[in-house]
Amino acid sequence: MATDPAELINRAKAWLAEDPDPETRGELAKLIEAEDTDELAARFAGTLQFGTAGLRGELGAGPMRMNRSVVIRAAAGLAAYLKAQGEGSGLVVIGYDARHKSADFARDTAAVMVGAGLRAALLPRPLPTPVLAFAIRHLGAVAGVEVTASHNPPRDNGYKVYLGDGSQIVPPADAGIAAEIAAVGPLDGVPRPEAGWETLDEAVLTAYLERTDAVLTPGSPRDTRVVYTPMHGVGRDTLVAAFARAGFPAPVVVAEQAEPDPDFPTVAFPNPEEPGAMDLAFAAARAAGADIDIVIANDPDADRCAVAVPAPGTPEGWRMLRGDEVGALLAAHLVRKEASGTFATTIVSSQLLSRIAAASALPYEETLTGFKWLARVDGLRYAFEEALGYCVDPEGVRDKDGITAALLITELAAELKQAGRTLTDLLDDLAREFGLHATDQLSVRVEDLSLISEAMRRLREQPPTVLAGLAVSRADDLTQGTETLPPTDGLRYYLAGSPEAGIESARVVVRPSGTEPKLKCYLEVVVPVTSPAALPEARKTATAALAAVKRDVSAAAGIDA
């Protein structure tokens, strides 16, 4: 890390000399001219690290930002890695969203691949990430790249890498690619021809849409009325086309959020989980009247799916379902369809899936967080994670897919509607059968990343023995790995139940986010339900217990809830 001002300026000038982007060149030149060493130090404190999430960061000039120079190096490193693996003549498919610079980063990647002797194909326009994941397998590619920062703030962009099986990279591939990136020399030594790659036509999207039909049961009811928001992202056209093919009524699209817009002007964060993000969708549902059955949202690259249900008596009139609730609903729907194969989720998602799978004698697995791990489960039939990610067709898209998940939840709502029931009624059934699995999350966003490492250190050095009055019966430091999990920076606590308090068990998982400057604590409380009449009291018990667990975890970690 450069600390000497003169050295900093020299490093910045060297970067400026090979930056191919007039916009970031101008930005950096102004910083150099102003001798803004604080800002230069932040941008030249190291390099964006390539890991299992690929690259993700704020747009701007310098090695600690997302820009064309960083992307060209990443593409050159990926190309070198593929060639070292014996895939030097293979096809790399590249997709991109509608964020700032996404199309530029995609074209640079295509040029680098062709310059390295590989073949490259760009998706025809900004499209959902699951279309890219599908295209890799459909076209027999050796790798794929998706330029997206998913639901991050507008100032960010990212670079997600898939290998030929259509799933995201995991160790040791990430380290191998990172080593090749580090070995890339001056940018003028990276060949970048002006042409030579293919731009795919609509056939790849048509093939994806044909595949989406397969998640539905022929002849199933299709009369669900939906309000839909793509959250200023790229999901609208693909989802509307998928709904039309399936025979669902055309969704009511939230007009203010319908068009792709990289500035995401109507939301603080373009993530359906964030407070306020669904306000316009709920307003559209209220305006549409009582015939709306559910509200659906995709995140900007449409690999996640949020669902809301009517909530009479509340100010909004609608309630966002937690990802764990949607995950359980889709699982129950697939069980009813007599799906076979392994059901899987992550260590931070609800344990309810394990009980649903066990009741139907289906194999079940838990993985580390992220679909890069879930996609690799042997015999996978269905996977979900609490962060609104669902894989309902692993043979077609071996990643989370917000389009097919939307289709499947809409089919389930239609089947329940035909029987005079709702998604809420089915959740109540699952609570009575398996116990009420109530989940919550404590998520702390920080400016200073050292606060996260300090919280993890504190929990390791002074581990809690009691949380919310429940004894910690087992504590796992996941940096050591387990028989079934590779090492990761995380802590897991199992809490003993309390018959007096009406609690069967509880669990807490604490981990740093892999994609955002956040410390995340995932909480789950299981409350037995003895009868339908006992459900309201069970919910009160669970809500109070979750609040107490959240308070005590926050205190133990030394962070503000």
Side-chain angles (χ1 to χ4, degrees):
M1 176 178 173
T3 54
D4 177 68
E7 184 185 349
L8 254 181
I9 295 292
N10 287 335
R11 287 188 63 199
K13 287 180 176 177
W15 184 274
L16 178 66
E18 64 174 20
D19 187 341
D21 189 335
E23 187 174 334
T24 47
R25 274 206 315 273
E27 178 187 315
L28 188 54
K30 287 180 181 178
L31 293 175
I32 293 170
E33 183 180 358
E35 296 185 354
D36 188 344
T37 52
D38 287 344
E39 184 63 23
L40 289 172
R43 292 165 182 252
F44 287 85
T47 59
L48 281 182
Q49 293 302 299
F50 187 93
T52 52
L55 293 168
R56 194 173 291 187
E58 186 176 343
L59 289 162
M64 287 295 290
R65 298 289 186 265
M66 283 295 297
N67 51 64
R68 291 182 61 196
S69 296
V70 165
V71 164
I72 289 166
R73 290 181 180 279
L78 174 59
Y81 175 82
L82 292 171
K83 291 169 79 170
Q85 302 298 309
E87 306 284 8
S89 60
L91 172 68
V92 178
V93 187
I94 303 142
Y96 56 102
D97 65 13
R99 284 179 177 265
H100 293 295
K101 298 290 184 182
S102 287
D104 293 339
F105 295 167
R107 282 193 297 270
D108 281 334
T109 300
V112 170
M113 294 301 159
V114 170
L118 289 107
R119 293 177 293 126
L122 284 171
L123 293 187
R125 61 180 183 280
L127 286 168
T129 293
V131 177
L132 181 276
F134 166 82
I136 295 166
R137 293 165 69 88
H138 177 66
L139 299 173
V142 298
V145 171
E146 178 69 19
V147 180
T148 180
S150 188
H151 56 277
N152 274 37
R155 64 180 181 272
D156 289 358
N157 213 329
Y159 198 82
K160 187 183 293 188
V161 175
Y162 297 74
L163 293 182
D165 61 356
S167 55
Q168 299 172 47
I169 57 168
V170 295
D174 58 342
I177 296 169
E180 295 287 2
I181 293 171
V184 175
L187 285 193
D188 60 10
V190 178
R192 286 185 291 129
E194 294 293 321
W197 56 88
E198 178 185 5
T199 298
L200 297 168
D201 59 21
E202 295 300 305
V204 68
L205 180 60
T206 299
Y208 169 80
L209 289 169
E210 288 172 351
R211 182 79 201 190
T212 65
D213 298 346
V215 306
L216 303 176
T217 301
S220 63
R222 304 286 164 96
D223 64 342
T224 312
R225 295 290 300 174
V226 173
V227 162
Y228 168 70
T229 174
M231 206 70 71
H232 298 297
V234 298
R236 180 193 61 186
D237 292 351
T238 304
L239 182 134
V240 169
F243 269 53
R245 289 181 63 95
F248 290 117
V252 177
V253 179
V254 177
E256 301 93 330
Q257 298 173 333
E259 296 295 330
D261 188 331
D263 294 318
F264 307 107
T266 68
V267 291
F269 289 94
N271 179 355
E273 294 178 293
E274 292 284 345
M278 295 291 286
D279 287 355
L280 287 172
F282 293 161
R286 290 192 298 271
D291 67 331
I292 298 299
D293 299 300
I294 58 175
V295 173
I296 289 176
N298 287 137
D299 67 338
D301 69 325
D303 62 352
R304 299 168 197 251
C305 176
V307 181
V309 295
T314 64
E316 294 84 4
W318 291 84
R319 178 176 82 86
M320 263 278 287
L321 297 181
R322 291 192 165 275
D324 287 318
E325 292 178 302
V326 177
L329 288 169
L330 291 174
H333 189 38
L334 289 169
V335 165
R336 189 169 173 275
K337 287 171 172 274
E338 300 183 342
S340 61
T342 301
F343 280 34
T345 191
T346 69
I347 59 171
V348 302
S349 304
S350 175
Q351 300 163 98
L352 176 55
L353 184 65
S354 66
R355 298 191 179 187
I356 293 172
S360 298
L362 288 167
Y364 169 79
E365 282 197 32
E366 284 183 15
T367 73
L368 295 184
T369 307
F371 267 84
K372 57 184 174 284
W373 300 107
L374 286 170
R376 287 174 164 75
V377 168
D378 287 340
L380 182 66
R381 175 58 185 88
Y382 168 66
F384 91 91
E385 62 178 357
E386 50 72 42
L388 310 183
Y390 316 95
C391 174
V392 301
D393 177 25
E395 292 306 307
V397 175
R398 215 158 182 82
D399 198 6
K400 54 186 178 289
D401 183 346
I403 304 297
T404 49
L407 288 171
L408 200 61
I409 199 73
T410 303
E411 178 188 57
L412 173 58
E415 290 185 359
L416 291 166
K417 182 178 180 179
Q418 189 177 69
R421 307 182 74 237
T422 65
L423 296 178
T424 303
D425 293 331
L426 180 52
L427 285 172
D428 290 349
D429 291 350
L430 295 173
R432 287 192 292 269
E433 184 174 359
F434 301 112
L436 176 63
H437 287 63
T439 58
D440 200 358
Q441 188 180 130
L442 169 62
S443 182
V444 181
R445 184 182 291 270
V446 301
E447 294 292 332
D448 181 359
L449 290 176
S450 69
L451 296 175
I452 293 177
S453 55
E454 172 60 25
M456 297 298 289
R457 182 195 63 78
R458 178 170 174 161
L459 288 169
R460 287 188 170 102
E461 292 181 359
Q462 303 171 50
T465 57
V466 176
L467 294 169
L470 303 174
V472 177
S473 58
R474 177 178 145 199
D476 299 334
D477 186 342
L478 299 174
T479 54
Q480 308 303 310
T482 71
E483 289 184 6
T484 56
L485 299 172
T488 190
D489 186 8
L491 297 162
R492 179 171 57 186
Y493 305 104
Y494 290 97
L495 312 183
S498 169
E500 304 80 32
I503 296 172
E504 178 185 316
S505 62
R507 188 195 64 183
V508 176
V509 180
V510 185
R511 60 178 282 272
S513 170
T515 57
E516 298 178 272
K518 287 182 177 181
L519 181 70
K520 292 189 170 184
C521 309
Y522 305 83
L523 323 173
E524 181 169 34
V525 171
V526 183
V527 177
V529 180
T530 54
S531 69
L535 252 175
E537 190 60 35
R539 288 201 177 89
K540 288 181 184 177
T541 298
T543 299
L546 285 170
V549 172
K550 184 183 289 190
R551 179 197 65 223
D552 289 358
V553 169
S554 177
I559 55 177
D560 293 326

